[in-house]
Amino acid sequence: QVQLVESGGGSVQAGGTLNLSCQVSGYTYSTYSFAWFRHAPGKEREGVAALDSERSVSEAASIQGRFTISQDSAKNTLNLEMHSLKPEDTAVYYCAAVPKLLPPWRALKDAEYIYWGQGTQVTVSS
């Protein structure tokens, strides 16, 4: 049974930094796509960044140059380093996984992912 558990959310001021982590357990597939999504009140869920087992990375334009997605295979974690945070980054952040490779134009589409964490709140104040 695949489980994804996010941590690292919190409240910071604009310009600050947060590091999110997603602990992955029960995932035995050698092929995968992992991603971070976020959902802000009144908005649709948005793909933030994704990586796959071929080490391909996809990023939303809104976070390029500020956020970095990575994985730690030894710890079985998916990470999201977030720098220069803005109030518009405020949202619940979710990690997600699917046991297949996705083309770049599908990597940030939530409909592609079948495993989801419970989310962690990120709040950025101005």
Side-chain angles (χ1 to χ4, degrees):
Q1 179 178 345
V2 177
Q3 285 192 321
L4 307 175
V5 180
E6 302 93 339
S7 62
S11 298
V12 295
Q13 291 193 327
T17 295
L18 280 174
N19 295 316
L20 304 185
S21 183
C22 175
Q23 184 68 56
V24 181
S25 61
Y27 197 94
T28 60
Y29 308 100
S30 59
T31 299
Y32 55 81
S33 295
F34 287 123
W36 286 97
F37 289 83
R38 65 186 181 186
H39 194 185
K43 296 184 179 180
E44 293 188 354
R45 187 162 54 188
E46 172 191 21
V48 175
L51 58 75
D52 64 27
S53 48
E54 298 294 318
R55 296 297 188 263
S56 295
V57 173
S58 300
E59 296 177 329
S62 60
I63 60 88
Q64 285 182 343
R66 300 190 297 123
F67 293 8
T68 301
I69 188 172
S70 64
Q71 65 176 126
D72 186 330
S73 298
K75 296 181 179 179
N76 289 331
T77 59
L78 178 72
N79 305 306
L80 187 68
E81 296 179 36
M82 306 188 295
H83 301 277
S84 302
L85 283 162
K86 304 175 181 180
E88 51 264 43
D89 295 319
T90 295
V92 178
Y93 283 70
Y94 300 89
C95 64
V98 63
K100 64 179 181 180
L101 298 177
L102 297 171
W105 57 90
R106 298 299 302 174
L108 298 180
K109 300 296 184 182
D110 56 0
E112 294 287 353
Y113 293 83
I114 62 173
Y115 301 113
W116 290 84
Q118 83 289 348
T120 186
Q121 176 71 46
V122 171
T123 303
V124 185
S125 58
S126 57

